[in-house]
Amino acid sequence: MLGAVETRSVSPVFVGRAGEIAALTDALVRATDGEPQALLVGGEAGVGKTRLIEEFVAAACDRGAYVAVGGCVEVGADGLPFAPFSTALRSLSRRLPDELAAAAAGQEGELARLLPELGDVGSHEPSHEDSTARLFELTVRLLERLADDRTIVLVLEDLHWADASTRHLLSYLLRTLRRGRIVVVATYRSDDIHRRHPMRPLLAELDRLRTIRRIELARFTRAEVRRQLTGILAAEPDAGLVDEVFDRSDGNAFFVEELVVSHEAGCAVGSLSDSLRDLLLVRVEALPEDAQRVVRIVAEGGSTVEYALLAAVARLSEDDLIEALRAAVGANILLAVPDGDGYRFRHSLVREAVSDDLLPGERSRLNRRYAEALEADPTLVRADERVTRTATYWYHAHDPAKALPAVLRASVETRKRYAHAEQLSLLERAMELWDEVPAAVRDALRPIDYVEAYPACGCDPATTPLRYLDLLAEAAIAARFAGERERALKIGKMALRLLDSAEEGGETDPLRAAWFWCERSRIVSGLGRSDGWAEIAKAQELVKGLPPSAVHARVLVVAAGWGMLHKPGPESLAAAERAVEYARLVNNEPIELGARLTLGTLQVSAGDREAGLASMYETLARCRALGLYHECSRAHVNLSHVLENLGRSREAVDVAEEGLRMARAHGLLDSQGWIRANQAESQLSLGLWDEAQRNCEWLEHSGTSSKPLGSTALRLAQLAVSRGELATAATHLARARDHFGEADPMPQYVIPSRQVELSLAAAGGRIQDVRTVLADAVETGFPPGTHREAWPLLLSAATAEADALGLPAAEEGRAESLALLRRSARQLPTPAPIWEAYARHTSAELDRAEGRHPVDRWTETVAGYEPLERPYVLALARHRLADALLAEGGRREEAAALLREAHTTAVRLGAQPLREDVELLAARARLPLTAPDNAPEPEPGDDAFGLTPREQDVLRLVAAGRTNRQIAEELFISPKTASVHVSNILAKLGVSGRGEAAALAHRLRLLEPAP
């Protein structure tokens, strides 16, 4: 090996970049104060990104920061999974061994997927779609813990080479990093980011995050090129040389250096070839023959080549190899790796030029040598890179018989690291190689793994050859886990075509076909193409009459789960019972536990509440004991859901909180999304509106899947309606429906969406739209277990009808709508006290819609809510009871007390419409809303909206449906004056149209005499 190696750039002077250095330094200062920072540094190849980072790293070290640098590694045409993160964490492990061990405590097995030095890879649970998210969450927490009491600078270089897993982890890190003294700096080559480059969507996504700063490095100006030349030459350059170098380099810093080197070698700048590659190869071609040979070998070995591996491939004596390396390093072509035992090119442009200059046969020969060297001595490279690099070398050696087994081994390793995108790429490469490999080699291969419930055909995997269909199954799962649903769908189609062709030839494989149809159901549902039932039905048909198997149990579980979400009832309950039975018969406990969760949920919906809940809690305990954390999180999701169904919102919040602690501990991001969405709904019920909003805001930035995001937007829409923020509510409702899509309607989302739509129409005075939404909802139906969503909708519709009483525009269709509401309310179950209270409330509003204000009905409603933690609906009922008491006459003190309680709740919750209703009623009745001793009495004639007597006359006619001309004729004023009055009324009432003004006037009884 060489001794000290010069690693700095050719120019000893750092030129320009004052603004960029200032931005990086400012980020360092902010991070030191505890505010995490993220910066993206882009620029074309050779523009000076590396030199800028070198200067920043030096400054950061001077300030006491711990710097960890990791570069994206290119091996052939492939990136190694998580390479920059693994390298950076390895660097931190060397510098902070005890601190990193403490930060990783308890999760070493999971984090070993990124940093193998932490221990054996954890294998507590089979991979799930959120396994990768779990790893990402644990990685972010690790970095946050390390940065608790020290400043960490994490530099990730060359993102244009990043593998998909690295891009996904970086995206997650930048979206979720919340605390810690940490600066993340990522660099990329902007001229490589073409329209179809995989980095392009990531950059677009990160641009939308306000917490990330983008730095784009421009080329040098002529003055800066002159300063660079002065530094390189250690003398003032001739003006003609400056002009010529600037013109030829176009301000690219690296090209300036190369042109100066050529100039010093005796080549006139103007005489150089116009080819960029020729320019970059000038220094290489000036090397001795052995040094040129070593440079070509390093160019094909990857971004970095270990010394021992290089020695094995070069086949030079140690002295000759050392001399060749010394020449290449002295010419500033190669550099020794600072933290390792290897070499890399000083600039990737030179490496690419050398690699492009290789002959096709020469490239294959070099890759074969690399592969043979690694097979002869696997210790030549780090263990976490060994299998992937061997596979890549054999593939580029164009030896299918050697490449296929190596690629399959690499796919297993990448799956263990949750690098599912890279696993998919390797499996697709195996599929490409399959037909080129001799049958004898294929017959010696064994199945990689029987993914999920994929059938083993009753064969011994140790003696059963790998089939092409097995590859497709693995690839389909890898694609789904990687978020590549379109590719998963394509792979599934290919498998089903193969199965159909085999069936036509007399070979049937119903279990595998059923498995692929179940997979297809999940994919088409996730893509929003359909609800997935047709695919499930096909799978059920295929397994009908077959002996019990894991596939059969899985089909039943999927069918029961679909029914639970779309059509809960006896058929879904029976399917769940059969799924539990079949899973027990085939001794598959994970499938059985999933089926028991579905069964328990359906039992609660069917009315067998205590038995269902007991079963769900038992299942949760068993999943926890077995370390099945994915099923644990699903249990918390389902439990919090059914507890809210039963009106046990406080218990639902507690169960959700326990689930969140578990999900955070194991990095289950998507599970956190589902649990938080349920918790936010229960918090709204309990009047914990601010807590619910914080939960929803967290979810909006979490990157969770579409259904929890849709639920979040829906809860925000409901909250905005209750607070009177109608435009905001409409925006959230539209977002919710976008997330849910139209192809897979679920009652638990469809009914609340309609309730928000109905409430918005009511607030806008559009009573006919209210009736249309109600009719659509009733026609669609309220399946068993959806009373939780249906009662609020019926209550909103009944309230809208009551508020519209007396409006001319509301008369047509009024009787039919009230009859529909009463009929629907009679048919809807009330399986818990909260829903009994909702039923009384709805009935009381229907009485009000018919002009009756029975005090006893409202008294029962208030009494029904009072023992329950439902402050908002209780305040609504108290307001109506006070109104009924005042309408009846007398009992003013009782009415005042009810209004004060309702007003206190409305103010605390920020429920502006309720607050205005209460204040208007109190003002009309001359009742104080403060304690009696301190209550200022309203002045006679006060109106809460400040309407003059003439404006009240005009409003009365507006409410009766009169036009401006008709108002003018009746009040003996001009139409223009009538128009002015109407405009003033709309402004004072805070409404946007005559219909809203009429609705508000009737709802608040602004046109009636004060009680």
Side-chain angles (χ1 to χ4, degrees):
M1 284 294 296
L2 302 182
V5 179
E6 186 70 51
T7 59
R8 64 178 178 83
S9 302
V10 170
S11 174
V13 177
F14 181 64
V15 177
R17 311 302 188 204
E20 291 84 353
I21 280 289
L24 290 164
T25 305
D26 176 66
L28 182 63
V29 172
R30 288 172 179 266
T32 303
D33 291 338
E35 183 184 348
Q37 299 290 301
L39 303 99
L40 292 175
V41 179
E44 67 180 8
V47 82
K49 298 182 295 296
T50 300
R51 187 60 187 275
L52 174 67
I53 296 302
E54 287 175 1
E55 293 294 319
F56 170 62
V57 165
C61 290
D62 290 343
R63 291 171 178 257
Y66 289 83
V67 179
V69 180
C72 297
V73 177
E74 189 183 31
V75 182
D78 311 310
L80 288 172
F82 305 120
F85 286 99
S86 297
T87 303
L89 289 175
R90 191 170 286 114
S91 173
L92 289 173
S93 179
R94 282 194 293 266
R95 299 189 62 191
L96 300 165
D98 296 337
E99 293 86 345
L100 189 137
Q107 300 296 342
E108 293 89 346
E110 289 296 312
L111 290 168
R113 302 177 199 279
L114 283 183
L115 187 60
E117 289 89 335
L118 286 174
D120 294 332
V121 169
S123 57
H124 303 297
E125 185 181 10
S127 290
H128 287 283
E129 284 181 87
D130 55 3
S131 298
T132 304
R134 177 166 74 239
L135 176 62
F136 290 1
E137 175 71 10
L138 294 175
T139 304
V140 174
R141 287 176 53 210
L142 174 72
L143 291 171
E144 288 180 340
R145 288 173 179 172
L146 280 174
D148 268 344
D149 52 6
R150 63 187 61 83
T151 303
I152 302 288
V153 176
L154 180 66
V155 179
L156 307 171
E157 295 189 298
D158 298 325
L159 286 183
H160 50 279
W161 286 331
D163 58 283
S165 295
T166 293
R167 293 194 300 272
H168 296 159
L169 176 50
L170 175 64
S171 172
Y172 185 90
L173 171 66
L174 297 184
R175 280 188 286 106
T176 60
L177 193 60
R178 298 281 191 273
R179 61 183 180 85
R181 297 163 52 183
I182 186 168
V183 183
V184 180
V185 182
T187 70
Y188 65 94
R189 192 190 288 179
S190 57
D191 50 330
D192 270 13
I193 311 300
H194 50 77
R195 289 182 61 187
R196 302 188 65 180
H197 194 284
M199 265 292 291
R200 197 176 183 91
L202 174 61
L203 292 175
E205 174 192 343
L206 297 180
D207 273 341
R208 292 191 289 270
L209 299 179
R210 298 178 182 177
T211 54
I212 297 175
R213 280 186 275 183
R214 285 277 294 271
I215 297 175
E216 288 290 335
L217 295 190
R219 296 176 178 179
F220 281 163
T221 64
R222 185 186 183 285
E224 288 170 331
V225 168
R226 184 185 61 77
R227 287 180 57 201
Q228 185 184 6
L229 288 173
T230 302
I232 295 172
L233 300 173
E236 189 70 27
D238 179 73
L241 178 63
V242 173
D243 289 340
E244 202 154 6
V245 169
F246 178 68
D247 289 343
R248 292 295 310 282
S249 68
D250 205 15
N252 184 290
F254 179 67
F255 295 164
V256 170
E257 292 183 355
E258 293 303 303
L259 287 165
V260 171
V261 168
S262 299
H263 175 71
E264 289 187 315
C267 298
V269 174
S271 68
L272 287 174
S273 164
D274 286 334
S275 166
L276 172 60
R277 189 180 70 179
D278 290 348
L279 169 63
L280 297 177
L281 291 175
V282 166
R283 267 197 280 183
V284 175
E285 291 169 350
L287 293 173
E289 186 60 36
D290 280 350
Q292 289 190 47
R293 180 183 172 192
V294 167
V295 166
R296 287 194 293 271
I297 292 171
V298 173
E300 197 57 26
S303 298
T304 299
V305 179
E306 296 76 359
Y307 174 77
L309 178 60
L310 179 59
V313 175
R315 301 178 183 177
L316 295 171
S317 69
E318 186 171 7
D319 289 344
D320 289 344
L321 178 59
I322 292 292
E323 285 307 310
L325 286 169
R326 189 173 298 282
V329 171
N332 230 352
I333 295 169
L334 297 181
L335 295 175
V337 179
D339 293 332
D341 183 20
Y343 292 88
R344 65 176 177 84
F345 277 82
R346 187 179 75 83
H347 202 286
S348 57
L349 281 174
V350 179
R351 173 177 173 262
E352 291 164 18
V354 173
S355 181
D356 287 346
D357 200 44
L358 294 174
L359 299 174
E362 187 179 13
R363 179 174 289 110
S364 298
R365 180 172 56 83
L366 286 177
N367 275 283
R368 174 177 289 278
R369 283 193 183 180
Y370 272 114
E372 290 171 343
L374 279 181
E375 288 194 343
D377 184 1
T379 64
L380 293 175
V381 301
R382 282 199 304 267
D384 57 318
E385 296 183 6
R386 187 178 302 146
V387 177
T388 301
R389 287 176 65 175
T390 302
T392 300
Y393 291 141
W394 276 125
Y395 179 79
H396 291 293
H398 302 295
D399 188 335
K402 287 282 193 177
L404 180 60
V407 165
L408 292 175
R409 286 192 296 271
S411 76
V412 173
E413 291 302 311
T414 52
R415 184 189 61 210
K416 289 179 181 177
R417 300 185 70 185
Y418 299 154
H420 298 298
E422 287 63 50
Q423 179 197 2
L424 174 60
S425 296
L426 287 164
L427 290 169
E428 288 179 329
R429 182 167 285 178
M431 290 152 58
E432 169 198 332
L433 293 167
W434 187 263
D435 289 334
E436 301 178 35
V437 175
V441 174
R442 293 203 305 264
D443 289 344
L445 299 173
R446 293 295 172 261
I448 309 166
D449 182 25
Y450 286 123
V451 289
E452 297 189 343
Y454 186 71
C457 294
C459 305
D460 180 3
T463 59
T464 303
L466 176 73
R467 296 170 53 184
Y468 188 72
L469 208 59
D470 303 333
L471 279 184
L472 294 178
E474 282 281 350
I477 294 291
R480 173 157 59 82
F481 284 3
E484 298 282 353
R485 290 193 176 98
E486 289 289 356
R487 287 165 78 180
L489 185 62
K490 182 179 178 182
I491 291 166
K493 283 181 179 178
M494 189 187 310
L496 290 169
R497 281 199 299 269
L498 285 174
L499 286 162
D500 287 343
S501 299
E503 188 173 353
E504 290 172 6
E507 293 183 27
T508 60
D509 200 341
L511 289 180
R512 280 186 167 81
W515 185 91
F516 276 107
W517 278 112
C518 276
E519 271 300 301
R520 181 176 171 83
S521 169
R522 182 181 293 193
I523 297 302
V524 295
S525 174
L527 287 169
R529 305 282 171 81
S530 77
D531 61 10
W533 177 248
E535 290 76 13
I536 295 172
K538 180 69 174 176
Q540 287 182 306
E541 181 184 335
L542 285 163
V543 298
K544 187 182 297 183
L546 296 179
S549 66
V551 173
H552 202 151
R554 182 170 183 260
V555 171
L556 289 172
V557 169
V558 171
W562 187 95
M564 178 183 70
L565 295 173
H566 297 82
K567 293 182 178 179
E571 290 186 10
S572 299
L573 186 65
E577 289 171 341
R578 288 197 305 275
V580 172
E581 178 187 351
Y582 271 62
R584 285 174 179 165
L585 284 171
V586 298
N587 197 29
N588 192 317
E589 191 169 14
I591 290 182
E592 179 193 339
L593 291 169
R596 285 174 58 188
L597 275 178
T598 301
L599 177 59
T601 306
L602 288 165
Q603 284 176 315
V604 174
S605 297
D608 194 1
R609 295 188 290 277
E610 296 310 316
L613 282 173
S615 175
M616 294 175 76
Y617 276 114
E618 288 172 8
T619 303
L620 171 59
R622 181 59 180 162
C623 290
R624 191 183 294 121
L626 294 176
L628 299 175
Y629 299 116
H630 178 80
E631 289 301 329
C632 279
S633 67
R634 183 170 167 247
H636 283 101
V637 171
N638 287 20
L639 272 168
S640 57
H641 175 82
V642 299
L643 288 168
E644 180 65 19
N645 255 8
L646 296 173
R648 293 157 64 170
S649 301
R650 179 65 62 181
E651 192 177 345
V653 167
D654 293 341
V655 166
E657 191 60 39
E658 179 189 338
L660 285 174
R661 285 195 296 270
M662 184 277 301
R664 281 194 295 266
H666 297 282
L668 302 173
L669 174 68
D670 210 46
S671 297
Q672 286 188 62
W674 288 99
I675 296 169
R676 279 186 186 272
N678 282 359
Q679 188 181 52
E681 183 178 6
S682 296
Q683 287 168 331
L684 286 177
S685 298
L686 293 168
L688 304 174
W689 288 7
D690 291 339
E691 292 86 339
Q693 184 161 357
R694 284 195 293 271
N695 248 341
C696 291
E697 288 170 351
W698 184 94
L699 276 166
E700 283 188 308
H701 299 96
S702 67
T704 188
S705 57
S706 60
K707 291 294 193 297
L709 286 174
S711 181
T712 295
L714 187 54
R715 304 309 158 213
L716 289 172
Q718 292 172 325
L719 181 59
V721 166
S722 299
R723 286 180 162 167
E725 300 163 355
L726 303 184
T728 301
T731 300
H732 285 309
L733 177 60
R735 286 179 47 243
R737 285 175 163 166
D738 284 344
H739 285 304
F740 295 142
E742 298 179 357
D744 187 15
M746 296 183 188
Q748 62 178 313
Y749 302 130
V750 172
I751 299 172
S753 298
R754 283 177 167 155
Q755 190 250 335
V756 173
E757 182 183 2
L758 186 152
S759 298
L760 288 170
R766 296 179 280 110
I767 189 63
Q768 297 302 338
D769 290 345
V770 169
R771 291 167 182 167
T772 299
V773 174
L774 173 67
D776 289 344
V778 172
E779 183 180 355
T780 302
F782 304 128
T786 58
H787 52 271
R788 156 188 174 183
E789 292 84 18
W791 275 119
L793 182 140
L794 294 185
L795 177 59
S796 297
T799 303
E801 289 290 354
D803 289 341
L805 178 64
L807 284 176
E811 287 308 311
E812 185 180 350
R814 180 179 185 78
E816 294 83 353
S817 181
L818 292 178
L820 178 61
L821 276 166
R822 290 196 181 277
R823 186 168 61 252
S824 300
R826 283 195 302 271
Q827 295 171 352
L828 200 61
T830 55
I834 181 60
W835 309 121
E836 293 172 1
Y838 261 87
R840 294 191 194 99
H841 196 163
T842 303
S843 179
E845 287 290 1
L846 288 172
D847 284 345
R848 189 168 70 91
E850 294 174 345
R852 301 190 303 275
H853 299 274
V855 171
D856 58 344
R857 185 65 62 87
W858 284 110
T859 301
E860 290 175 2
T861 301
V862 170
Y865 282 134
E866 281 180 331
L868 311 172
E869 290 186 274
R870 287 295 194 279
Y872 179 61
V873 285
L874 174 58
L876 290 173
R878 282 173 169 162
H879 166 246
R880 290 300 174 204
L881 175 55
D883 192 9
L885 289 170
L886 292 170
E888 186 181 72
R891 304 174 68 176
R892 288 174 58 81
E893 290 183 5
E894 187 179 347
L898 288 165
L899 289 175
R900 281 195 294 272
E901 288 175 312
H903 188 259
T904 299
T905 299
V907 171
R908 179 178 67 81
L909 297 179
Q912 192 63 24
L914 173 60
R915 178 177 179 173
E916 291 173 357
D917 288 357
V918 171
E919 289 174 352
L920 258 294
L921 180 57
R924 290 177 59 250
R926 309 291 185 262
L927 292 174
L929 290 175
T930 53
D933 292 343
N934 305 318
E937 288 290 331
E939 291 295 323
D942 276 0
D943 180 89
F945 287 103
L947 296 177
T948 66
R950 173 60 80 184
E951 287 169 344
Q952 291 180 33
D953 292 337
V954 173
L955 178 57
R956 188 173 288 105
L957 295 172
V958 168
R962 302 289 197 275
T963 65
N964 286 349
R965 180 171 296 281
Q966 290 169 331
I967 292 171
E969 291 172 356
E970 190 159 337
L971 297 181
F972 302 103
I973 58 177
S974 69
K976 184 173 183 181
T977 301
S979 174
V980 171
H981 281 311
V982 171
S983 297
N984 289 339
I985 290 167
L986 297 182
K988 288 180 178 181
L989 296 183
V991 296
S992 59
R994 301 164 77 97
E996 286 186 61
L1000 184 64
H1002 277 276
R1003 178 164 60 88
L1004 300 183
R1005 300 190 196 173
L1006 297 180
L1007 306 178
E1008 297 178 12

